[in-house]
Amino acid sequence: EEVMELHAARLLLLFRHCGVNGKRIDSLTKMAKLDFFVRYPDFFVVAAAAEGKGPGTGASEESRMVRYHYGPWDDRYYHLLSYLEALGLISVSRERNSFRLALTDEGISVAAKLTESPSFEKLVDHMIQVKRVLGAKTGTRLKNLIYELFAKEVGDRSLGEEIV
């Protein structure tokens, strides 16, 4: 739960397996919502069924998120993204009103090594399913989907309250 490198590795894999062209996610909202469905596999199964894409697959829940202004969020994101950018593994740029987050060449290389690790096999398989079912949706559409399907579990919670 508290190992920063594990969360950083998950984000690198998220960009690789859920991002556009296997390297970028075009908003913080989309990144957080895709990460939500990776971290909460039972919610992903419900969302996949609602989207008519089959039952989906799951891995074990990794760590909890909190309700924030635009749905599920992890307070560590800004720290983790700065950490990955400082290591030269991602680049962050502004595109209108959102941030474009992209793996650098070094980030692609590290994500490829993580993908090959048996330790991340189930997580990567789950991410591939998340991308297949939800990857083409915008961050706003994913946020709305979460609020539509999980009003009690997410939307009705107070800001900062843990999602369980």
Side-chain angles (χ1 to χ4, degrees), residues 78-89:
Y78 291 122
H79 183 71
L80 287 165
L81 293 170
S82 295
Y83 174 72
L84 291 170
E85 187 176 30
L87 291 174
L89 300 176

Side-chain angles (χ1 to χ4, degrees), residues 88-158:
L89 300 176
I90 67 167
S91 65
V92 179
S93 60
R94 191 97 169 147
E95 178 109 356
R96 293 188 213 135
N97 292 332
S98 64
F99 290 98
R100 176 175 278 181
L101 311 155
L103 293 173
T104 61
D105 290 342
E106 182 64 21
I108 291 169
S109 176
V110 170
K113 288 176 187 168
L114 292 171
T115 297
E116 297 299 319
S117 170
S119 300
F120 292 107
E121 183 178 0
K122 286 182 182 178
L123 181 63
V124 167
D125 289 345
H126 180 60
M127 286 180 173
I128 290 167
Q129 292 301 310
V130 169
K131 164 76 175 196
R132 180 182 66 81
V133 174
L134 302 171
K137 298 193 179 317
T138 66
T140 299
R141 178 63 188 117
L142 291 172
K143 172 192 61 110
N144 293 341
L145 180 68
I146 290 167
Y147 282 144
E148 289 165 17
L149 296 176
F150 311 111
K152 181 180 138 198
E153 298 89 343
V154 179
D156 292 347
R157 296 200 176 273
S158 301

Side-chain angles (χ1 to χ4, degrees), residues 10-81:
R10 186 190 66 253
L11 287 180
L12 290 174
L13 289 169
L14 187 76
F15 293 133
R16 175 71 184 102
H17 296 287
C18 292
V20 176
N21 298 324
K23 79 180 272 184
R24 87 169 196 269
I25 296 176
D26 291 334
S27 76
L28 288 170
T29 300
K30 184 165 183 173
M31 179 199 74
K33 300 331 163 233
L34 290 171
D35 194 33
F36 169 76
F37 285 113
V38 167
R39 290 162 71 167
Y40 288 82
D42 290 343
F43 288 167
F44 172 67
V45 170
V46 172
E51 293 295 308
K53 304 276 181 137
T57 61
S60 62
E61 182 180 306
E62 184 179 317
S63 61
R64 303 227 183 239
M65 297 174 85
V66 298
R67 175 166 188 276
Y68 201 62
H69 296 288
Y70 301 106
W73 185 257
D74 188 325
D75 289 329
R76 295 173 284 218
Y77 283 143
Y78 291 122
H79 183 71
L80 287 165
L81 293 170

